[in-house]
Amino acid sequence: MTMPKVIMICKEASMTSGLDGLVAAETVLSEVDGANGRLIVRGAPLERLANVITFPEMVHRLFAGFFDPLPEPVELASRLGEARAEAFQMFAADRALLALPPLDAVRALTARVPDGDGLDTALRLLAATAVFLPAVLRLQAGQSPIAPDPPMDHARDILRMTGKAATDREVRALDTYLVTVAEHGLNASTFAARVVASTRAGLTSAALAGMSALKGPLHGGAPGPVIEMLDAISSAAQAMEWLEAALDRGERLMGFGHRIYRVRDPRADALKAAVRALSRDGGGHGGRLAFAERIESAALEALRRRKPNRPLETNVEFYTALLLEALGFPPSAFTGVFAIGRAAGWIAHAREQTLSGRLIRPQSRYIGPRPPLAA
Ligand code: ACO
């Protein structure tokens, strides 16, 4: 159904703002079903993966067929642990890192991973994001980075490297998060990664492109502002007034709306369930969750009133904010944690593009003045 549209766009050189509705790649990795609010990752719906498999198992699922040989999940997890130790050796505390937003610091450090197309490079990149983010956070807090513990589970080790003695439920919550955000079709950062991979630049370059696209507030940079919104709304009773004033100023409500989903983003519910499970550990997460749910309802009501013809529902970022806050990450680090999970999707797409795709090189339509053709 969609393919003829691609051909028509190429032939007539017409333009679709934001490439809305355009099919730019075929993939075996995932389907984002916007009408039914369903995410399928390599044949399985998200709800059969989130809170069920670990992040290294998700990596195995995404990498299958793109690396040969690909070790079994247990061996892959062990190699990822070794790669974390290697990444820590590459970490060099540098004064310039202190002033950078955490994701920018992680991106600068990840650029030290030599480009390549093999599994070693892929694992180094997954390890780099996981090791560099906690190290940068500690450095910026005036603390020494903590070295990874290679045999430890990936999610538990990430929390440990932030200085946290995590409970099993917290480890499970971070694993759920990383699995939930690992892969999501041709989102802006994955598209950027595929464009770079299509030039045969290598996996590091592709992942760095993905990170650069991820940081914007319309994509992976939204959850920090979600916390700012929750903090600015001092009481649930005052929520509607605050939200209406923000919309009057022409602002977007962070954590709502999506290019593809016309119903609720299924990832929002996976993450909300993870926050709810965490609230059983106490620590005030239950009260924060109840407050956020009231703000969510008010925001959805305000958006329905303002945009009756544009379905705007809760997206992944709203409950990402609550989950990562409950795990003790500062809002400035949220996009960096997103990158730890999404790096798996970027790498899988980059490999798929390299193995089966052509150079991505669309056209632009010139709308400026033209000098007369020479006679
Ligand atoms: N709050 C208020 N209005 C909104 C919102 C929002 N969150 N989202 C869309 N709209 C409005 C737009 O202002 C626009 O109104 P108009 O037609 O009167 O100008 C209309 O809905 C359509 O908006 P578009 O920008 O065309 O929608 P698009 O598909 O390009 O945007 C996006 C999707 C960027 C996610 C948007 O919904 C948004 O900005 N949301 C807030 C930021 C956010 O939560 N980002 C995270 C997304 S999930 C992810 O990337 C991991």
Side-chain angles (χ1 to χ4, degrees):
M1 287 291 282
T2 34
M3 287 310 283
K5 188 172 183 186
V6 180
I7 294 160
M8 182 197 84
I9 282 164
C10 297
K11 278 193 175 157
E12 298 175 6
S14 63
M15 224 248 337
T16 306
S17 167
L19 303 185
D20 199 345
L22 190 79
V23 176
E26 284 187 328
T27 182
V28 298
L29 289 164
S30 66
E31 180 181 61
V32 181
D33 177 351
N36 296 304
R38 213 157 79 116
L39 169 60
I40 296 170
V41 182
R42 296 204 102 161
L46 176 67
E47 53 278 17
R48 287 228 323 268
L49 303 172
N51 202 27
V52 176
I53 65 171
T54 64
F55 180 65
E57 287 166 342
M58 183 66 155
V59 169
H60 187 271
R61 188 176 193 91
L62 294 174
F63 284 7
F66 297 131
F67 295 98
D68 186 22
L70 181 69
E72 288 305 305
V74 173
E75 168 67 9
L76 193 71
S78 151
R79 296 229 350 231
L80 185 54
E82 288 161 19
R84 288 197 303 276
E86 229 185 277
F88 193 72
Q89 298 298 321
M90 293 173 68
F91 182 80
D94 176 338
R95 287 186 67 81
L97 294 176
L98 294 173
L100 290 175
L103 181 69
D104 291 0
V106 170
R107 185 179 55 184
L109 290 161
T110 303
R112 296 176 184 177
V113 176
D115 243 322
D117 272 316
L119 183 63
D120 283 348
T121 306
L123 292 177
R124 277 187 199 122
L125 289 167
L126 292 177
T129 51
V131 168
F132 294 153
L133 182 71
V136 163
L137 293 178
R138 286 187 63 84
L139 203 66
Q140 294 187 343
Q143 299 160 325
S144 304
I146 297 173
D149 183 356
M152 194 174 268
D153 290 345
H154 195 62
R156 189 179 294 279
D157 205 19
I158 293 168
L159 290 172
R160 196 188 60 84
M161 285 187 281
T162 65
K164 191 176 175 67
T167 63
D168 288 347
R169 247 201 273 272
E170 287 171 326
V171 173
R172 176 60 76 94
L174 181 58
D175 241 335
T176 298
Y177 173 72
L178 296 176
V179 167
T180 299
V181 303
E183 165 55 18
H184 202 239
L186 206 58
N187 56 85
S189 58
T190 299
F191 185 47
R194 279 191 86 123
V195 169
V196 171
S198 84
T199 72
R200 307 281 192 269
L203 292 176
T204 302
S205 298
L208 292 171
M211 259 183 233
S212 302
L214 186 74
K215 75 179 248 191
L218 299 191
H219 188 12
V226 168
I227 293 294
E228 285 165 23
M229 175 176 76
L230 294 180
D231 288 345
I233 302 174
S234 48
S235 73
Q238 189 237 337
M240 192 55 87
E241 192 188 329
W242 191 97
L243 294 164
E244 292 284 6
L247 290 169
D248 284 344
R249 291 192 298 272
E251 292 174 13
R252 290 181 178 213
L253 303 182
M254 292 292 141
F256 298 92
H258 198 272
R259 173 62 64 81
I260 310 285
Y261 291 121
R262 288 295 167 263
V263 293
R264 198 176 164 81
D265 181 336
R267 299 169 299 171
D269 287 329
L271 298 185
K272 185 174 173 176
V275 184
R276 183 157 288 131
L278 267 185
S279 68
R280 293 187 203 116
D281 278 347
H285 310 318
R288 183 71 157 163
L289 178 60
F291 176 68
E293 283 177 315
R294 292 185 66 182
I295 307 304
E296 180 190 14
S297 303
L300 291 174
E301 191 188 321
L303 288 170
R304 274 176 206 134
R305 219 175 13 244
R306 297 277 178 138
K307 308 271 175 206
N309 301 320
R310 166 84 185 186
L312 293 169
E313 298 290 336
T314 313
N315 67 42
V316 64
E317 301 292 38
F318 192 78
Y319 286 103
T320 286
L322 288 205
L323 181 62
L324 298 185
E325 179 186 62
L327 289 176
F329 288 100
S332 63
F334 289 174
T335 316
V337 189
F338 194 162
I340 297 174
R342 183 55 59 83
W346 295 331
I347 293 165
H349 274 273
R351 285 295 293 154
E352 187 177 50
Q353 181 67 39
T354 305
L355 292 171
S356 59
R358 290 178 73 202
L359 172 75
I360 297 175
R361 203 302 186 192
Q363 291 183 48
S364 49
R365 183 153 52 87
Y366 178 63
I367 54 170
R370 281 194 185 89
L373 286 171

